[in-house]
């Protein structure tokens, strides 16, 4: 019974007695006030009231009159009427207003229903207003909401048009069925168990439900289920009012998708991966069934990105993700973990299979990617950790795969590495270096030593190279070979280089102030620093601060750069040149540089790497060395050999025209106080040695 049931729940709240009866006078519903009125007047038991005929409430004569009135109303199509009817208790006269509740769905419900209001006064107008209000509410509810009524067992007894519309079922297909008909299987059994527990207790349940249409599409409804409790305290029926929130849910799902996926490759992101991994681990804590974590990091991706543009970089990442996805059905999940980092969790049981799989991944990555008709080549380094052997927590497993990847990168790119105890040890050491170096940069422990650069022809010291030394309270002496790479990886190198620049320039100026003849001071600047666009500014500020003529500052940058790095270093070098600073290419012979760029960069000095000097008697190296010296000369670049330890090396270099020498042969790097006694005093041990050796 459509309207009645919907109105029913509202009528129950009204502040005067209302009965809903049919044309025979059978009471089908009443509100609290009616219950009070009759149980007070007649001591009727609340539970009985529902099953009675109106004859039992008011005197028979008038009950008959009422029923006649109702039939009269039907016959003459009257919708409302006021009558005076006595209650069974003759002592009080109650006036009655009747409203015919029109049934829209007459074939389903043959009963004509009437709303009878009994009150001390007629209040037809008020009642009408209330009915209108109820009808408005009903209308609003019906129009705006998806309404369904079920019996106590959950069988659908009523659905409104909106319900049919959204579920795409005909009314007849729904009546008599339960809500399983629209079940989407999205929610757990527990979800519905809680729902039923709540409404069976007579409590209102609210929540969001994902349902399925007849055609198999999904929709979301914000649902309120109101249980109606009968006179005996038992739930008689449930009215559910739903609102379509599919659009909102889609938007929410989209937002969730964005939060958990990478925009570029559409792969799950780091957040998703960690959650997923956490769940996976929890499920396996008991069985300990193994799986592997593969973490790949593209080698020198940043350089590719910077040199060829982000479009090429993006294209490459997309292509690689597509290839990896197709790789094998052992892949449980492939996530983009960071800029150029991918993580795969794979259902693999043995280390042998894991290594095979890793190699497959690396092969896929190595295949060229064509962007705008041009092939791009990239390699990756891959670290592997294993559940449960390498960790029982998600962060731990990822971290260890990452450590193994870094270990691989340091040793050689483009291969795969399992996590092991050795890696753990070296990583712990790095972490401790980072921590202590950070402190040292803020407090103390770092100092500079200076190594003379000698012109063996003029027998003069013409400059010094500043080299950093670190004595850590906790770690003891740590060599630059160990802490510089850590500083580069962690970004501490910016601070470190600035610290060196500042202290070296300060020292150079102090020597000048002491009246010593000015000499060039060389400072090593890490390539990583060139990625930050502040180097020129930093150098300029320091030179101004100490009022040092830029001509006395030399910047050494390692030649061990890739061709791509060279490109972005180029502009900064030119800016430094414009400041008036000298530029030196360090470790020359170890990189990929061409003489073409040496000219373009307007390099002042070229430092032949120690390895060449030390292998001078190997004929192949001798030829290369000769070529380097010759070409530098042709380009007008000053050549210096570093790491010269023996006289033979010096003679050999001199023979080929390299007169500038730096090395233990003359002096080890020393602290400022010691070195100044040597380099500014022509009678020093250093000068004695120079004069003795350089005949
Ligand atoms: P480098 O710039 O090529 O410095 C030359 C290295 O060779 C220094 O090692 C120096 O002590 C060493 N050396 C000099 N003469 C000889 C010799 O005759 N025989 C041998 N075997 N070695 C000699 P050091 O001080 O350990 O520095 C190693 C590297 O660390 C440097 O190579 C440089 O690349 C880097 N480094 C040192 N200090 C700094 C710094 O303040 N900033 C940056 N960014 N890098 C630095
Ligand atoms: Mg150097
Ligand atoms: Mg060097």
């Amino acid at each position: 019974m459509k309207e009645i049931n919907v109105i029913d729940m509202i009528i129950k709240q009204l502040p005067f007695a209302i009965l809903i009866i049919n044309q025979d006078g059978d009471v089908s519903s009443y509100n609290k006030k009616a219950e009070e009125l009759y149980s007070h007047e007649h001591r009727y038991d609340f539970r009985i009231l529902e099953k009675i005929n109106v004859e039992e409430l008011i005197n028979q004569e008038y009950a008959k009159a009422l029923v006649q009135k109702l039939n009269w109303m039907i016959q003459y199509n009257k919708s409302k009427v006021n009558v005076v009817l006595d209650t069974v208790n003759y002592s009080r006269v109650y006036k009655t207003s009747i409203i015919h509740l029109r049934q829209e769905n007459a074939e389903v419900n043959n009963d004509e229903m009437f709303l009878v209001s009994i009150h001390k006064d007629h209040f037809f107008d008020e009642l009408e207003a209330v009915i209108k209000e109820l009808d408005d509410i009903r209308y609003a509810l019906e129009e705006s909401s998806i309404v369904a009524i079920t019996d106590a067992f959950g069988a659908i007894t009523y659905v409104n048009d909106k319900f049919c519309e959204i579920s795409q079922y005909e009314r007849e297909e729904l009546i008599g069925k339960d809500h399983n008909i629209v079940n989407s299987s999205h929610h757990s059994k527990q979800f519905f168990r809680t729902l039923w527990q709540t409404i069976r207790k007579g409590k209102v349940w609210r929540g969001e439900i994902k349902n399925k249409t007849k055609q198999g599409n999904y929709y979301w409804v914000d649902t309120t289920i109101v249980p109606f409790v009968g006179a005996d305290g038992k739930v008689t029926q449930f009215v559910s009012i739903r609102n379509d929130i599919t659009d909102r849910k889609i938007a929410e799902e989209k937002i969730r998708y964005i939060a958990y996926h990478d925009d570029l490759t559409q792969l799950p992101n780091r957040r998703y991966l960690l959650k997923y991994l956490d769940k996976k681990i929890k499920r396996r804590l008991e069985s300990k069934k193994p799986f592997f974590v593969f973490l790949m990091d593209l080698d020198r991706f940043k350089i590719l990105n910077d040199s060829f543009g982000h479009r090429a970089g993006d294209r490459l990442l997309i292509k690689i993700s597509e290839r990896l996805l197709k790789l094998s059905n052992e892949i449980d999940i492939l996530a983009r973990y960071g800029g150029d980092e991918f993580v795969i969790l794979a259902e693999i049981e043995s280390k042998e299979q894991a290594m095979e799989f890793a190699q497959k991944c690396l092969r896929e990555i190595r295949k060229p990617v064509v962007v705008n008709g041009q092939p791009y080549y990239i390699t990756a380094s891959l670290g592997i950790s294993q559940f449960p052997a390498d960790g029982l927590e998600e962060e731990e497993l990822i971290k260890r795969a990452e450590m193994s990847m870094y270990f691989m990168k340091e040793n050689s790119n483009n291969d795969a590495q399992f996590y092991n105890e050795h890696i753990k040890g070296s990583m712990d050491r790095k972490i401790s270096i980072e921590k202590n170096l950070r402190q040292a940069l803020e407090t103390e422990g770092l100092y500079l030593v200076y190594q003379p650069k000698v012109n063996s022809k003029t027998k003069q010291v013409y400059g010094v190279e500043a080299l950093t030394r670190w004595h850590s309270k906790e770690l003891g002496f740590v060599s630059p070979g160990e802490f510089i790479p850590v500083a580069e990886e962690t970004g501490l190198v910016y601070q470190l280089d600035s610290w060196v620049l500042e202290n070296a320039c300060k020292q150079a100026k102090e020597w000048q102030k002491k009246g010593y003849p000015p000499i060039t001071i060389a400072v090593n600047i890490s390539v990583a620093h060139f990625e930050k666009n502040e180097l020129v500014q930093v150098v300029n500020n320091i030179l101004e601060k100490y009022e040092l003529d830029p001509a006395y500052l030399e910047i050494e940058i390692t030649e061990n750069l890739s061709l791509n790095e060279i490109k972005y270093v180029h502009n900064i070098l030119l800016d430094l040149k414009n400041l008036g600073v000298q530029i030196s290419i360090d470790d020359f012979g170890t990189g990929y540089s061409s003489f073409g760029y040496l000219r373009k960069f307007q390099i002042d000095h070229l430092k032949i790497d120690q390895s060449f000097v030390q292998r001078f008697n190997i004929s192949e190296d001798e030829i290369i060395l000769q070529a380097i010296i010759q070409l530098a000369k042709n380009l007008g670049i000053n050549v210096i050999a570093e790491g010269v330890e023996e006289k033979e090396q010096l003679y050999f270099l001199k023979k080929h025209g390299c007169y500038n020498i730096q090395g233990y042969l003359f002096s080890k790097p020393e602290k400022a106080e010691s070195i100044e006694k040597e380099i500014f005093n022509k009678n020093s041990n250093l000068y004695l040695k120079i004069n003795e050796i350089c005949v």
Side-chain angles (χ1 to χ4, degrees), residues 447-449 451 465-469 477 479-485 488 493 496-497 499-501 523-527 529 556 558 586-587 607 609-610 614 642-646 649 662-669:
Y447 59 95
L448 290 179
V449 290
Q451 190 177 34
E465 178 178 5
L467 294 153
T468 308
R469 295 290 174 264
F477 185 80
S479 79
E482 195 176 9
F483 71 79
I484 298 281
E488 285 176 342
V493 80
L496 178 70
D497 282 351
W499 181 88
V500 178
L501 269 169
V523 167
N524 295 283
I525 297 293
S526 160
V527 179
H529 208 144
E556 292 193 10
T558 182
D586 207 348
D587 311 319
K607 292 183 88 173
D609 190 64
Q610 340 193 330
Q614 272 142 28
E642 64 180 340
V644 180
E645 294 178 357
E646 293 158 16
Q649 293 167 342
Q662 186 184 344
Y664 296 167
L665 177 65
F666 292 123
S667 170
K668 287 201 168 180

Coordinates of all heavy atoms in Angstrom, one line a residue, residues 447-449 451 465-469 477 479-485 488 493 496-497 499-501 523-527 529 556 558 586-587 607 609-610 614 642-646 649 662-669, ligand 1:
Y447 N 88.7 20.1 7.5 CA 89.8 21.1 7.2 C 90.4 20.9 5.9 O 90.2 19.9 5.2 CB 90.9 21.0 8.3 CG 91.6 19.7 8.5 CD1 92.8 19.5 7.8 CD2 91.0 18.7 9.2 CE1 93.4 18.2 7.9 CE2 91.7 17.4 9.4 CZ 92.8 17.2 8.7 OH 93.5 16.0 8.8
L448 N 91.1 21.9 5.4 CA 91.7 21.8 4.1 C 93.2 21.6 4.2 O 93.9 22.0 5.1 CB 91.5 23.2 3.4 CG 90.0 23.5 2.9 CD1 90.0 24.8 2.2 CD2 89.5 22.4 2.0
V449 N 93.6 20.8 3.2 CA 95.1 20.7 3.0 C 95.4 21.2 1.6 O 94.5 21.2 0.7 CB 95.6 19.2 3.2 CG1 95.5 18.8 4.6 CG2 94.7 18.2 2.3
Q451 N 98.1 21.1 -1.8 CA 99.2 20.4 -2.5 C 99.7 21.4 -3.6 O 99.0 21.9 -4.4 CB 98.7 19.1 -3.1 CG 99.8 18.3 -3.6 CD 99.4 16.9 -4.2 OE1 98.3 16.9 -4.8 NE2 100.2 15.9 -4.0
E465 N 96.5 23.1 -4.9 CA 95.1 22.6 -4.9 C 94.6 22.3 -3.5 O 95.3 21.7 -2.7 CB 95.1 21.2 -5.7 CG 93.7 20.6 -5.7 CD 93.6 19.3 -6.5 OE1 94.6 18.8 -7.0 OE2 92.4 18.8 -6.7
A466 N 93.4 22.8 -3.2 CA 92.9 22.6 -1.9 C 92.1 21.3 -1.9 O 91.3 21.0 -2.8 CB 91.9 23.8 -1.6
L467 N 92.4 20.5 -0.9 CA 91.7 19.2 -0.8 C 91.1 19.0 0.6 O 91.8 19.4 1.6 CB 92.7 18.0 -1.1 CG 93.2 18.0 -2.5 CD1 94.6 17.3 -2.6 CD2 92.3 17.3 -3.5
T468 N 90.0 18.5 0.7 CA 89.3 18.4 2.0 C 89.7 17.2 2.8 O 89.9 16.1 2.2 CB 87.8 18.4 1.8 OG1 87.5 19.4 0.9 CG2 87.1 18.5 3.1
R469 N 89.9 17.4 4.0 CA 90.2 16.3 4.9 C 89.1 16.3 6.0 O 88.6 17.3 6.4 CB 91.6 16.4 5.6 CG 92.7 16.3 4.6 CD 92.8 14.9 4.1 NE 93.8 14.8 3.0 CZ 93.6 14.8 1.7 NH1 92.3 15.0 1.3 NH2 94.5 14.6 0.8
F477 N 89.4 9.0 10.8 CA 89.7 9.7 9.5 C 88.9 9.0 8.4 O 89.0 7.8 8.3 CB 91.2 9.6 9.3 CG 91.6 10.4 8.1 CD1 91.8 11.7 8.1 CD2 91.8 9.7 6.9 CE1 92.1 12.4 6.9 CE2 92.1 10.4 5.7 CZ 92.2 11.8 5.7
S479 N 88.3 9.1 4.3 CA 89.0 9.7 3.1 C 87.9 10.4 2.2 O 86.8 10.0 2.2 CB 89.7 8.6 2.3 OG 88.8 7.9 1.5
P480 N 88.4 11.4 1.4 CA 87.4 12.0 0.4 C 86.9 11.0 -0.5 O 85.7 11.2 -1.0 CB 88.3 13.1 -0.3 CG 89.6 13.2 0.4 CD 89.7 12.0 1.3
G481 N 87.7 10.0 -0.9 CA 87.2 9.0 -1.8 C 85.9 8.3 -1.3 O 85.1 7.8 -2.0
E482 N 85.8 8.3 0.1 CA 84.6 7.7 0.6 C 83.5 8.7 0.9 O 82.3 8.5 0.6 CB 85.0 7.0 1.9 CG 83.9 6.0 2.4 CD 84.3 5.2 3.6 OE1 85.3 5.5 4.3 OE2 83.5 4.3 4.0
F483 N 83.9 9.9 1.5 CA 82.8 10.8 1.9 C 82.3 11.7 0.7 O 81.1 12.1 0.8 CB 83.1 11.6 3.1 CG 84.1 12.6 3.0 CD1 83.8 13.9 2.4 CD2 85.4 12.5 3.5 CE1 84.8 14.9 2.3 CE2 86.4 13.5 3.4 CZ 86.1 14.7 2.8
I484 N 83.1 11.9 -0.3 CA 82.6 12.8 -1.4 C 81.4 12.1 -2.1 O 80.4 12.7 -2.3 CB 83.7 13.2 -2.4 CG1 84.8 14.0 -1.7 CG2 83.2 13.9 -3.6 CD1 84.5 15.4 -1.4
P485 N 81.5 10.8 -2.5 CA 80.4 10.2 -3.1 C 79.1 10.2 -2.3 O 78.0 10.4 -2.8 CB 80.8 8.7 -3.4 CG 82.3 8.8 -3.4 CD 82.7 9.9 -2.5
E488 N 77.7 13.6 -2.5 CA 77.1 13.8 -3.8 C 75.7 13.1 -3.8 O 74.7 13.7 -4.3 CB 77.9 13.2 -4.9 CG 79.1 14.1 -5.2 CD 80.1 13.6 -6.2 OE1 80.0 12.4 -6.5 OE2 80.9 14.4 -6.8
V493 N 76.8 17.8 -0.8 CA 78.0 18.3 -1.6 C 77.9 19.8 -1.9 O 78.9 20.5 -1.9 CB 78.2 17.4 -2.9 CG1 77.2 17.9 -4.0 CG2 79.6 17.5 -3.3
L496 N 79.2 21.3 1.2 CA 80.6 21.0 1.3 C 81.4 21.8 0.3 O 82.4 22.5 0.7 CB 80.8 19.5 1.0 CG 82.3 19.0 1.0 CD1 82.8 19.1 2.4 CD2 82.4 17.6 0.4
D497 N 81.0 21.9 -0.9 CA 81.8 22.7 -1.9 C 81.8 24.1 -1.5 O 82.8 24.8 -1.7 CB 81.1 22.5 -3.3 CG 81.5 21.2 -4.0 OD1 82.4 20.5 -3.4 OD2 81.0 20.8 -5.0
W499 N 81.6 25.3 1.4 CA 82.5 25.4 2.6 C 84.0 25.4 2.1 O 84.8 26.3 2.6 CB 82.3 24.2 3.5 CG 83.1 24.2 4.8 CD1 82.9 24.8 6.0 CD2 84.4 23.6 4.9 NE1 83.9 24.6 6.8 CE2 84.9 23.9 6.2 CE3 85.3 22.9 4.0 CZ2 86.1 23.5 6.7 CZ3 86.5 22.5 4.5 CH2 86.9 22.8 5.8
V500 N 84.3 24.6 1.2 CA 85.7 24.5 0.6 C 86.0 25.8 -0.1 O 87.1 26.4 0.2 CB 85.9 23.3 -0.3 CG1 87.3 23.3 -0.9 CG2 85.6 22.0 0.4
L501 N 85.1 26.3 -0.9 CA 85.3 27.5 -1.7 C 85.6 28.7 -0.7 O 86.6 29.4 -0.9 CB 84.1 27.9 -2.5 CG 84.0 27.3 -3.9 CD1 82.6 27.5 -4.5 CD2 85.0 28.0 -4.8
V523 N 90.2 24.6 -6.5 CA 89.1 24.0 -5.6 C 88.4 23.0 -6.5 O 88.0 23.3 -7.6 CB 88.2 25.1 -5.1 CG1 86.9 24.4 -4.5 CG2 88.8 26.0 -4.1
N524 N 88.1 21.8 -6.0 CA 87.4 20.8 -6.7 C 85.9 21.0 -6.5 O 85.4 21.2 -5.4 CB 87.7 19.4 -6.2 CG 89.1 19.0 -6.5 OD1 89.5 18.7 -7.6 ND2 90.0 19.1 -5.4
I525 N 85.1 21.1 -7.6 CA 83.7 21.3 -7.5 C 83.0 20.0 -8.1 O 83.4 19.7 -9.2 CB 83.2 22.6 -8.2 CG1 83.8 23.8 -7.5 CG2 81.7 22.6 -8.2 CD1 83.3 24.1 -6.1
S526 N 82.1 19.5 -7.4 CA 81.5 18.2 -7.8 C 80.5 18.5 -9.0 O 79.9 19.6 -9.0 CB 80.7 17.6 -6.7 OG 79.8 16.8 -7.1
V527 N 80.5 17.6 -9.9 CA 79.6 17.8 -11.1 C 78.1 18.0 -10.6 O 77.4 18.7 -11.2 CB 79.6 16.5 -12.0 CG1 78.7 16.7 -13.2 CG2 81.0 16.3 -12.5
H529 N 77.1 19.6 -8.3 CA 76.8 21.0 -8.0 C 76.4 21.8 -9.2 O 75.7 22.8 -9.1 CB 78.1 21.6 -7.3 CG 77.8 22.7 -6.4 ND1 78.5 22.9 -5.3 CD2 76.8 23.7 -6.4 CE1 78.0 24.0 -4.7 NE2 77.0 24.5 -5.3
E556 N 88.3 23.1 -10.4 CA 88.6 21.9 -11.0 C 87.3 21.1 -11.1 O 86.6 20.9 -10.2 CB 89.6 21.1 -10.2 CG 91.0 21.7 -10.2 CD 92.0 20.7 -9.6 OE1 91.7 19.5 -9.4 OE2 93.1 21.2 -9.4
T558 N 85.8 17.4 -12.7 CA 86.3 16.1 -13.2 C 85.8 15.9 -14.6 O 84.8 16.3 -15.1 CB 85.8 14.9 -12.3 OG1 86.4 13.7 -12.9 CG2 84.3 14.8 -12.3
D586 N 89.8 18.1 -14.5 CA 90.5 17.1 -13.7 C 90.4 15.7 -14.2 O 89.5 15.4 -15.0 CB 89.8 17.2 -12.3 CG 90.8 16.9 -11.1 OD1 91.9 16.3 -11.4 OD2 90.4 17.1 -10.0
D587 N 91.3 14.9 -13.8 CA 91.3 13.4 -14.1 C 91.1 13.2 -15.6 O 90.4 12.3 -16.1 CB 90.1 12.8 -13.4 CG 90.1 13.1 -11.9 OD1 91.1 13.1 -11.3 OD2 89.0 13.3 -11.4
K607 N 94.2 18.5 -16.4 CA 95.0 17.7 -15.5 C 95.0 16.2 -16.0 O 93.9 15.6 -15.9 CB 94.5 17.8 -14.1 CG 94.6 19.1 -13.5 CD 94.2 19.2 -12.0 CE 95.3 18.8 -11.1 NZ 94.9 19.0 -9.7
D609 N 95.1 12.5 -15.8 CA 94.8 11.6 -14.6 C 96.0 10.8 -14.2 O 96.9 10.4 -15.0 CB 93.7 10.7 -15.0 CG 93.1 10.0 -13.8 OD1 92.6 10.7 -12.9 OD2 93.3 8.7 -13.8
Q610 N 96.0 10.6 -12.9 CA 97.2 9.9 -12.3 C 97.4 8.5 -12.9 O 98.5 8.0 -13.0 CB 97.0 9.6 -10.8 CG 96.0 10.5 -10.1 CD 96.2 10.3 -8.6 OE1 96.6 9.2 -8.1 NE2 96.0 11.3 -7.8
Q614 N 101.0 7.0 -13.9 CA 101.5 5.8 -13.2 C 101.8 4.6 -14.2 O 102.6 3.8 -13.9 CB 100.6 5.4 -12.1 CG 101.1 6.1 -10.8 CD 99.9 6.5 -9.9 OE1 98.8 5.9 -9.9 NE2 100.1 7.6 -9.2
E642 N 99.1 15.0 -12.7 CA 98.9 14.8 -11.2 C 99.3 13.4 -10.9 O 99.4 12.5 -11.7 CB 97.5 15.1 -10.8 CG 96.4 14.2 -11.4 CD 95.0 14.6 -10.9 OE1 94.8 15.3 -9.9 OE2 94.1 14.1 -11.6
G643 N 99.6 13.2 -9.6 CA 100.0 11.9 -9.1 C 101.4 11.5 -9.5 O 101.7 10.3 -9.6
V644 N 102.2 12.5 -9.7 CA 103.6 12.2 -10.0 C 104.4 11.8 -8.8 O 104.5 12.6 -7.8 CB 104.3 13.4 -10.8 CG1 105.7 13.0 -11.2 CG2 103.5 13.7 -12.0
E645 N 104.9 10.6 -8.7 CA 105.6 10.1 -7.5 C 107.1 9.9 -7.8 O 107.8 9.9 -6.8 CB 104.9 8.8 -7.0 CG 103.5 9.0 -6.6 CD 102.8 7.8 -6.1 OE1 103.4 6.7 -6.2 OE2 101.6 7.8 -5.7
E646 N 107.4 9.6 -9.0 CA 108.8 9.2 -9.3 C 109.4 10.1 -10.3 O 108.8 10.7 -11.2 CB 108.8 7.8 -9.8 CG 108.4 6.7 -8.8 CD 107.9 5.4 -9.4 OE1 108.2 5.2 -10.6 OE2 107.3 4.7 -8.7
Q649 N 108.9 9.4 -13.9 CA 107.6 9.9 -14.5 C 107.8 11.4 -14.9 O 107.3 11.8 -15.9 CB 106.5 9.8 -13.4 CG 106.2 8.3 -13.1 CD 105.3 8.2 -11.9 OE1 105.2 9.1 -11.0 NE2 104.7 7.0 -11.7
Q662 N 102.2 17.8 -10.3 CA 101.6 17.8 -8.9 C 101.8 16.4 -8.5 O 101.4 15.5 -9.2 CB 100.2 18.2 -9.0 CG 99.5 18.4 -7.6 CD 98.0 18.7 -7.8 OE1 97.5 19.1 -8.8 NE2 97.3 18.6 -6.7
G663 N 102.3 16.2 -7.3 CA 102.4 14.8 -6.8 C 103.3 14.7 -5.6 O 104.0 15.7 -5.2
Y664 N 103.3 13.5 -5.0 CA 104.1 13.2 -3.8 C 105.6 13.4 -4.1 O 106.3 13.6 -3.1 CB 103.8 11.8 -3.3 CG 102.4 11.5 -2.9 CD1 102.0 10.2 -2.7 CD2 101.5 12.6 -2.7 CE1 100.7 9.9 -2.2 CE2 100.2 12.3 -2.3 CZ 99.8 11.0 -2.1 OH 98.5 10.7 -1.6
L665 N 106.0 13.3 -5.3 CA 107.4 13.5 -5.6 C 107.9 14.8 -5.0 O 109.0 14.9 -4.4 CB 107.6 13.6 -7.2 CG 109.0 13.8 -7.7 CD1 109.9 12.7 -7.3 CD2 109.0 14.0 -9.2
F666 N 107.0 15.9 -5.1 CA 107.4 17.2 -4.5 C 106.8 17.3 -3.1 O 107.5 17.7 -2.2 CB 107.0 18.3 -5.4 CG 107.8 18.4 -6.7 CD1 107.2 18.3 -7.9 CD2 109.2 18.4 -6.6 CE1 107.9 18.3 -9.1 CE2 110.0 18.5 -7.8 CZ 109.3 18.4 -9.0
S667 N 105.5 17.1 -3.0 CA 104.9 17.3 -1.7 C 103.6 16.6 -1.6 O 102.8 16.6 -2.6 CB 104.7 18.8 -1.5 OG 104.0 19.0 -0.3
K668 N 103.3 16.1 -0.5 CA 101.9 15.6 -0.2 C 101.1 16.9 0.2 O 101.6 17.9 0.5 CB 102.0 14.7 1.0 CG 102.6 13.4 0.7 CD 102.2 12.3 1.6 CE 102.6 11.0 1.1 NZ 102.2 9.8 1.9
P669 N 99.8 16.7 0.1 CA 99.0 17.9 0.5 C 99.2 18.1 2.0 O 99.2 17.2 2.8 CB 97.5 17.4 0.3 CG 97.6 16.2 -0.6 CD 98.9 15.6 -0.3
Ligands
LIG1 P1 91.6 14.9 -7.3 O1 91.0 16.3 -7.4 O2 92.1 14.3 -8.6 O3 92.8 15.1 -6.3 C1 94.0 14.4 -6.4 C2 94.0 13.3 -5.5 O4 95.2 12.6 -5.6 C3 94.0 13.8 -4.0 O5 93.4 12.7 -3.3 C4 95.5 13.8 -3.7 O6 95.8 13.7 -2.3 C5 96.0 12.6 -4.4 N1 97.4 12.7 -4.8 C6 98.1 13.8 -5.0 N2 99.4 13.5 -5.4 C7 99.4 12.1 -5.4 C8 100.5 11.2 -5.7 O7 101.6 11.5 -6.0 N3 100.1 9.9 -5.7 C9 98.9 9.5 -5.3 N4 98.6 8.2 -5.3 N5 97.9 10.3 -5.0 C10 98.2 11.6 -5.1 P2 92.4 13.0 -2.2 O8 92.7 14.2 -1.4 O9 92.2 11.8 -1.5 O10 91.1 13.3 -3.0 C11 90.5 12.4 -3.8 C12 89.5 13.0 -4.7 O11 88.4 13.5 -3.9 C13 90.0 14.3 -5.4 O12 90.6 13.9 -6.6 C14 88.8 15.0 -5.7 O13 88.1 14.5 -6.8 C15 87.9 14.7 -4.5 N6 88.0 15.7 -3.5 C16 88.9 16.0 -2.6 N7 88.6 17.1 -1.9 C17 87.4 17.6 -2.5 C18 86.6 18.7 -2.2 O14 86.9 19.6 -1.4 N8 85.5 18.9 -3.0 C19 85.2 18.0 -4.0 N9 84.0 18.1 -4.7 N10 85.9 16.9 -4.2 C20 87.1 16.7 -3.5

